[in-house]
Short mmCIF file of all heavy atoms in Angstrom, two decimals:
data_model
loop_
_atom_site.label_atom_id
_atom_site.label_comp_id
_atom_site.label_asym_id
_atom_site.label_seq_id
_atom_site.Cartn_x
_atom_site.Cartn_y
_atom_site.Cartn_z
N HIS A 94 -87.55 29.23 -147.99
CA HIS A 94 -87.66 27.80 -148.44
C HIS A 94 -86.88 27.33 -149.55
O HIS A 94 -86.21 26.34 -149.64
CB HIS A 94 -89.22 27.49 -148.52
CG HIS A 94 -89.57 26.06 -148.47
ND1 HIS A 94 -89.39 25.13 -149.51
CD2 HIS A 94 -90.16 25.30 -147.44
CE1 HIS A 94 -89.75 23.98 -149.10
NE2 HIS A 94 -90.30 24.06 -147.83
N ARG A 95 -86.92 28.17 -150.58
CA ARG A 95 -86.13 27.86 -151.80
C ARG A 95 -84.57 28.01 -151.41
O ARG A 95 -83.84 27.23 -151.99
CB ARG A 95 -86.40 28.92 -152.81
CG ARG A 95 -87.77 28.78 -153.44
CD ARG A 95 -88.19 29.86 -154.41
NE ARG A 95 -89.54 29.77 -154.93
CZ ARG A 95 -89.72 29.38 -156.21
NH1 ARG A 95 -88.77 29.00 -156.81
NH2 ARG A 95 -90.93 29.48 -156.66
N THR A 96 -84.26 28.91 -150.64
CA THR A 96 -82.78 29.11 -150.15
C THR A 96 -82.21 27.92 -149.49
O THR A 96 -81.17 27.36 -149.94
CB THR A 96 -82.62 30.28 -149.39
OG1 THR A 96 -83.09 31.56 -150.07
CG2 THR A 96 -81.13 30.60 -149.08
N PHE A 97 -82.91 27.39 -148.46
CA PHE A 97 -82.46 26.25 -147.64
C PHE A 97 -82.81 24.91 -148.03
O PHE A 97 -82.04 23.96 -147.89
CB PHE A 97 -82.77 26.55 -146.24
CG PHE A 97 -82.33 27.79 -145.63
CD1 PHE A 97 -83.02 28.79 -145.17
CD2 PHE A 97 -80.87 27.90 -145.37
CE1 PHE A 97 -82.51 29.96 -144.71
CE2 PHE A 97 -80.28 29.02 -144.85
CZ PHE A 97 -81.01 30.08 -144.52
N LEU A 98 -83.99 24.83 -148.77
CA LEU A 98 -84.54 23.41 -148.97
C LEU A 98 -84.41 23.16 -150.46
O LEU A 98 -84.59 22.03 -150.98
CB LEU A 98 -85.79 23.24 -148.51
CG LEU A 98 -86.07 23.26 -146.96
CD1 LEU A 98 -87.55 22.77 -146.52
CD2 LEU A 98 -84.98 22.53 -146.22
N GLY A 99 -84.27 24.20 -151.31
CA GLY A 99 -84.08 24.16 -152.72
C GLY A 99 -85.24 23.85 -153.57
O GLY A 99 -85.16 23.57 -154.87
N TYR A 100 -86.44 24.11 -153.05
CA TYR A 100 -87.65 24.05 -153.99
C TYR A 100 -88.70 24.93 -153.40
O TYR A 100 -88.75 25.30 -152.17
CB TYR A 100 -88.04 22.52 -154.07
CG TYR A 100 -88.55 21.85 -152.75
CD1 TYR A 100 -89.94 21.84 -152.49
CD2 TYR A 100 -87.66 21.23 -151.90
CE1 TYR A 100 -90.34 21.28 -151.38
CE2 TYR A 100 -88.09 20.71 -150.73
CZ TYR A 100 -89.48 20.57 -150.43
OH TYR A 100 -89.90 20.03 -149.28
N PRO A 101 -89.72 25.28 -154.22
CA PRO A 101 -90.82 26.11 -153.70
C PRO A 101 -91.57 25.59 -152.58
O PRO A 101 -91.83 24.29 -152.54
CB PRO A 101 -91.63 26.37 -155.05
CG PRO A 101 -90.83 26.00 -156.19
CD PRO A 101 -89.97 24.87 -155.66
N ALA A 102 -92.20 26.48 -151.71
CA ALA A 102 -92.92 26.03 -150.59
C ALA A 102 -94.16 25.35 -151.02
O ALA A 102 -94.73 24.62 -150.32
CB ALA A 102 -93.10 27.18 -149.58
N ALA A 103 -94.76 25.74 -152.22
CA ALA A 103 -95.94 25.19 -152.68
C ALA A 103 -95.86 23.69 -152.88
O ALA A 103 -96.91 23.05 -152.99
CB ALA A 103 -96.27 25.93 -153.97
N LEU A 104 -94.56 23.10 -153.16
CA LEU A 104 -94.52 21.72 -153.31
C LEU A 104 -94.19 20.95 -152.11
O LEU A 104 -94.17 19.73 -152.22
CB LEU A 104 -93.26 21.56 -154.28
CG LEU A 104 -93.43 22.16 -155.72
CD1 LEU A 104 -92.15 21.90 -156.51
CD2 LEU A 104 -94.62 21.71 -156.32
N ALA A 105 -94.10 21.66 -151.04
CA ALA A 105 -93.85 21.08 -149.74
C ALA A 105 -95.24 20.39 -149.19
O ALA A 105 -96.31 20.65 -149.78
CB ALA A 105 -93.40 21.99 -148.68
N PRO A 106 -95.17 19.65 -148.09
CA PRO A 106 -96.52 19.15 -147.47
C PRO A 106 -97.40 20.20 -147.18
O PRO A 106 -97.02 21.37 -146.97
CB PRO A 106 -96.07 18.55 -146.22
CG PRO A 106 -94.62 18.04 -146.51
CD PRO A 106 -94.12 19.09 -147.46
N SER A 107 -98.80 19.98 -147.17
CA SER A 107 -99.64 20.98 -147.41
C SER A 107 -99.78 21.83 -146.08
O SER A 107 -100.19 23.03 -146.01
CB SER A 107 -101.04 20.36 -147.60
OG SER A 107 -101.33 19.50 -146.61
N ASP A 108 -99.41 21.36 -144.90
CA ASP A 108 -99.47 22.00 -143.66
C ASP A 108 -98.26 22.80 -143.23
O ASP A 108 -98.18 23.31 -142.28
CB ASP A 108 -99.99 21.09 -142.55
CG ASP A 108 -98.89 19.98 -142.30
OD1 ASP A 108 -98.01 19.79 -143.23
OD2 ASP A 108 -98.82 19.60 -141.17
N ARG A 109 -97.27 22.71 -144.11
CA ARG A 109 -95.97 23.28 -143.80
C ARG A 109 -95.96 24.76 -143.54
O ARG A 109 -95.56 25.35 -142.52
CB ARG A 109 -94.78 22.95 -144.74
CG ARG A 109 -93.43 23.46 -144.32
CD ARG A 109 -92.25 22.99 -145.20
NE ARG A 109 -92.10 21.48 -145.01
CZ ARG A 109 -91.36 20.80 -145.70
NH1 ARG A 109 -90.61 21.33 -146.70
NH2 ARG A 109 -91.29 19.47 -145.44
N ARG A 110 -96.59 25.49 -144.59
CA ARG A 110 -96.74 26.94 -144.47
C ARG A 110 -97.43 27.27 -143.09
O ARG A 110 -97.12 28.21 -142.45
CB ARG A 110 -97.47 27.49 -145.64
CG ARG A 110 -97.55 29.05 -145.62
CD ARG A 110 -98.31 29.53 -146.83
NE ARG A 110 -99.76 29.13 -146.74
CZ ARG A 110 -100.64 29.71 -147.42
NH1 ARG A 110 -100.46 30.72 -148.29
NH2 ARG A 110 -101.95 29.27 -147.32
N GLU A 111 -98.66 26.63 -142.88
CA GLU A 111 -99.41 27.01 -141.62
C GLU A 111 -98.56 26.74 -140.32
O GLU A 111 -98.55 27.57 -139.50
CB GLU A 111 -100.64 26.21 -141.54
CG GLU A 111 -101.82 26.68 -142.51
CD GLU A 111 -101.39 26.37 -144.02
OE1 GLU A 111 -100.53 25.36 -144.18
OE2 GLU A 111 -101.91 26.89 -144.83
N ARG A 112 -97.79 25.63 -140.36
CA ARG A 112 -96.92 25.43 -139.14
C ARG A 112 -95.89 26.33 -138.89
O ARG A 112 -95.54 26.90 -137.85
CB ARG A 112 -96.35 24.01 -139.13
CG ARG A 112 -97.39 22.86 -139.10
CD ARG A 112 -96.80 21.56 -139.01
NE ARG A 112 -96.11 21.10 -140.17
CZ ARG A 112 -94.78 21.06 -140.35
NH1 ARG A 112 -93.94 21.39 -139.26
NH2 ARG A 112 -94.13 20.59 -141.42
N PHE A 113 -95.11 26.80 -139.95
CA PHE A 113 -94.18 27.88 -139.83
C PHE A 113 -94.75 29.13 -139.57
O PHE A 113 -94.21 30.13 -138.85
CB PHE A 113 -93.29 27.82 -141.07
CG PHE A 113 -92.18 26.93 -141.04
CD1 PHE A 113 -92.43 25.56 -141.41
CD2 PHE A 113 -90.92 27.13 -140.72
CE1 PHE A 113 -91.44 24.52 -141.34
CE2 PHE A 113 -89.86 26.32 -140.70
CZ PHE A 113 -90.10 24.99 -141.03
N PHE A 114 -95.93 29.44 -140.08
CA PHE A 114 -96.64 30.73 -139.75
C PHE A 114 -96.99 30.87 -138.26
O PHE A 114 -96.87 31.84 -137.57
CB PHE A 114 -97.76 30.89 -140.64
CG PHE A 114 -98.59 32.21 -140.35
CD1 PHE A 114 -97.91 33.40 -140.60
CD2 PHE A 114 -99.94 32.15 -139.87
CE1 PHE A 114 -98.66 34.61 -140.46
CE2 PHE A 114 -100.48 33.37 -139.69
CZ PHE A 114 -99.98 34.54 -139.94
N GLU A 115 -97.42 29.77 -137.78
CA GLU A 115 -97.65 29.68 -136.36
C GLU A 115 -96.45 29.94 -135.52
O GLU A 115 -96.47 30.68 -134.45
CB GLU A 115 -98.21 28.29 -135.92
CG GLU A 115 -98.54 28.12 -134.48
CD GLU A 115 -99.11 26.81 -134.16
OE1 GLU A 115 -99.34 25.89 -135.07
OE2 GLU A 115 -99.35 26.47 -132.95
N LEU A 116 -95.22 29.42 -135.94
CA LEU A 116 -94.03 29.66 -135.20
C LEU A 116 -93.64 31.18 -135.40
O LEU A 116 -93.36 31.83 -134.34
CB LEU A 116 -92.85 28.85 -135.97
CG LEU A 116 -91.39 29.37 -135.44
CD1 LEU A 116 -91.23 28.99 -133.97
CD2 LEU A 116 -90.41 28.47 -136.34
N TYR A 117 -93.91 31.84 -136.43
CA TYR A 117 -93.74 33.17 -136.74
C TYR A 117 -94.49 34.00 -135.78
O TYR A 117 -93.95 34.98 -135.07
CB TYR A 117 -93.97 33.58 -138.19
CG TYR A 117 -94.01 35.04 -138.47
CD1 TYR A 117 -93.00 35.77 -138.76
CD2 TYR A 117 -95.53 35.62 -138.53
CE1 TYR A 117 -93.15 37.15 -138.93
CE2 TYR A 117 -95.57 37.04 -138.78
CZ TYR A 117 -94.45 37.76 -138.91
OH TYR A 117 -94.64 39.03 -139.20
N GLN A 118 -95.75 33.64 -135.56
CA GLN A 118 -96.66 34.44 -134.77
C GLN A 118 -96.29 34.26 -133.26
O GLN A 118 -96.39 35.22 -132.50
CB GLN A 118 -98.12 33.97 -135.00
CG GLN A 118 -98.72 34.38 -136.31
CD GLN A 118 -100.16 34.04 -136.39
OE1 GLN A 118 -100.53 32.80 -136.20
NE2 GLN A 118 -101.06 34.88 -136.83
N ARG A 119 -95.89 33.04 -132.94
CA ARG A 119 -95.64 32.72 -131.52
C ARG A 119 -94.34 33.47 -131.13
O ARG A 119 -94.30 34.20 -129.96
CB ARG A 119 -95.36 31.35 -131.15
CG ARG A 119 -95.27 30.91 -129.83
CD ARG A 119 -95.52 29.44 -129.69
NE ARG A 119 -94.52 28.54 -130.31
CZ ARG A 119 -94.84 27.87 -131.36
NH1 ARG A 119 -96.03 27.73 -131.86
NH2 ARG A 119 -93.83 27.18 -132.01
N VAL A 120 -93.31 33.61 -131.90
CA VAL A 120 -92.05 34.27 -131.54
C VAL A 120 -92.41 35.75 -131.62
O VAL A 120 -91.88 36.57 -130.70
CB VAL A 120 -90.90 33.99 -132.56
CG1 VAL A 120 -89.78 34.76 -132.35
CG2 VAL A 120 -90.60 32.50 -132.55
N ALA A 121 -93.06 36.21 -132.66
CA ALA A 121 -93.35 37.64 -132.74
C ALA A 121 -94.13 38.21 -131.38
O ALA A 121 -94.01 39.39 -131.00
CB ALA A 121 -94.08 38.08 -133.95
N SER A 122 -95.18 37.42 -130.95
CA SER A 122 -95.85 37.87 -129.91
C SER A 122 -95.18 37.73 -128.54
O SER A 122 -95.64 38.53 -127.64
CB SER A 122 -97.10 36.91 -129.76
OG SER A 122 -96.81 35.56 -129.40
N ARG A 123 -94.14 36.94 -128.39
CA ARG A 123 -93.40 36.90 -127.11
C ARG A 123 -92.24 37.56 -127.07
O ARG A 123 -91.66 37.90 -125.91
CB ARG A 123 -93.03 35.32 -126.82
CG ARG A 123 -94.32 34.48 -126.83
CD ARG A 123 -94.00 33.00 -126.58
NE ARG A 123 -95.21 32.22 -126.36
CZ ARG A 123 -95.13 30.82 -126.28
NH1 ARG A 123 -93.88 30.30 -125.99
NH2 ARG A 123 -96.17 30.17 -126.17
N HIS A 124 -91.64 37.97 -128.19
CA HIS A 124 -90.38 38.84 -128.13
C HIS A 124 -90.72 40.29 -128.02
O HIS A 124 -91.46 40.88 -128.51
CB HIS A 124 -89.69 38.62 -129.46
CG HIS A 124 -88.18 39.31 -129.55
ND1 HIS A 124 -87.20 38.73 -128.79
CD2 HIS A 124 -87.78 40.40 -130.02
CE1 HIS A 124 -86.06 39.42 -128.94
NE2 HIS A 124 -86.54 40.45 -129.74
N PRO A 125 -89.88 40.95 -127.07
CA PRO A 125 -90.08 42.42 -126.75
C PRO A 125 -89.65 43.16 -128.05
O PRO A 125 -88.66 42.81 -128.61
CB PRO A 125 -89.04 42.67 -125.55
CG PRO A 125 -88.16 41.48 -125.61
CD PRO A 125 -88.87 40.35 -125.95
N ASP A 126 -90.40 44.20 -128.24
CA ASP A 126 -90.12 45.01 -129.44
C ASP A 126 -89.04 45.95 -129.17
O ASP A 126 -89.13 47.17 -129.45
CB ASP A 126 -91.40 45.71 -129.88
CG ASP A 126 -91.39 46.01 -131.35
OD1 ASP A 126 -90.41 45.55 -132.03
OD2 ASP A 126 -92.32 46.63 -131.86
N ARG A 127 -87.89 45.51 -128.78
CA ARG A 127 -86.72 46.42 -128.55
C ARG A 127 -85.51 45.43 -128.64
O ARG A 127 -85.54 44.34 -128.71
CB ARG A 127 -86.74 47.04 -127.14
CG ARG A 127 -86.85 45.97 -125.96
CD ARG A 127 -87.02 46.63 -124.64
NE ARG A 127 -86.85 45.55 -123.49
CZ ARG A 127 -88.01 45.16 -123.11
NH1 ARG A 127 -89.10 45.36 -123.53
NH2 ARG A 127 -87.78 44.18 -122.00
N GLY A 128 -84.29 46.09 -128.45
CA GLY A 128 -83.03 45.49 -128.59
C GLY A 128 -82.43 45.42 -129.99
O GLY A 128 -82.86 46.28 -130.81
N ARG A 129 -81.48 44.51 -130.36
CA ARG A 129 -80.87 44.48 -131.53
C ARG A 129 -81.89 44.15 -132.71
O ARG A 129 -81.74 44.57 -133.78
CB ARG A 129 -79.75 43.60 -131.56
CG ARG A 129 -78.67 43.97 -130.55
CD ARG A 129 -77.66 43.02 -130.38
NE ARG A 129 -76.70 43.03 -131.59
CZ ARG A 129 -75.43 42.46 -131.60
NH1 ARG A 129 -75.07 41.85 -130.67
NH2 ARG A 129 -74.84 42.44 -132.74
N LEU A 130 -82.86 43.36 -132.37
CA LEU A 130 -83.88 42.97 -133.37
C LEU A 130 -85.31 43.18 -132.81
O LEU A 130 -85.57 42.93 -131.58
CB LEU A 130 -83.86 41.45 -133.86
CG LEU A 130 -82.44 41.04 -134.63
CD1 LEU A 130 -82.51 39.60 -134.84
CD2 LEU A 130 -82.37 41.84 -135.88
#
């Protein structure tokens, strides 16, 4: 968040961390645990 948006995630809208964490979980659960990543 600091790298791309330039400020701490704590100063972002309150639900941003939860929404991105949901994306993280969704991708991790659907991607096969093999390949280049």
Side-chain angles (χ1 to χ4, degrees):
H94 198 278
R95 291 170 183 263
T96 298
F97 294 113
L98 302 188
Y100 64 96
L104 300 180
S107 58
D108 64 335
R109 179 170 296 175
R110 184 183 66 162
E111 286 73 15
R112 290 189 293 108
F113 275 81
F114 181 63
E115 182 182 353
L116 170 64
Y117 165 84
Q118 288 183 308
R119 189 163 62 247
V120 173
S122 64
R123 296 180 181 180
H124 184 75
D126 207 2
R127 62 180 183 274
R129 298 177 71 169
L130 294 178

